[in-house]
Amino acid sequence: MSRERRSPAPPDTATLRAGLTPAQASAIATLEVFGWELRFVRRPLFRDPVPVLFDKSGNRWIVVDGDGALEENPGFEIRE
């Protein structure tokens, strides 16, 4: 069986940050100082975007709500 040979392109940070609320952008900037990385943004219809950040080890993840609050248990799972 062949293995997946495509490697994911690193996300474009400007594209990821487009449309985030000012509170989300501020919270993400603060988290990045502490080593967190913005990996992707969920964009549900008619709702604020949901940025997902991972810690340095890649084992822990959080989301940033529209008001800038951090949420460790957002009610959805991340596939590997």
Side-chain angles (χ1 to χ4, degrees):
M1 204 124 206
S2 66
R3 297 180 70 185
E4 180 68 45
R5 292 192 280 167
R6 290 179 291 178
S7 60
D12 176 32
T13 58
T15 303
L16 286 176
R17 294 171 197 278
L20 296 180
T21 67
Q24 286 173 320
S26 176
I28 290 168
T30 301
L31 288 165
E32 287 174 332
V33 169
F34 295 102
W36 289 81
E37 176 189 4
L38 176 61
R39 294 240 184 114
F40 63 92
V41 178
R42 294 181 71 191
R43 299 191 185 274
L45 289 174
F46 310 113
R47 295 185 23 210
D48 286 333
V50 182
V52 180
L53 291 91
F54 284 79
D55 69 352
K56 292 177 193 177
S57 68
N59 295 326
R60 218 170 119 208
W61 58 277
I62 59 173
V63 300
V64 182
D65 291 334
D67 62 357
L70 306 180
E71 199 172 332
E72 290 188 57
N73 299 312
F76 62 85
E77 295 294 321
I78 294 182
R79 294 178 281 177
E80 294 195 25

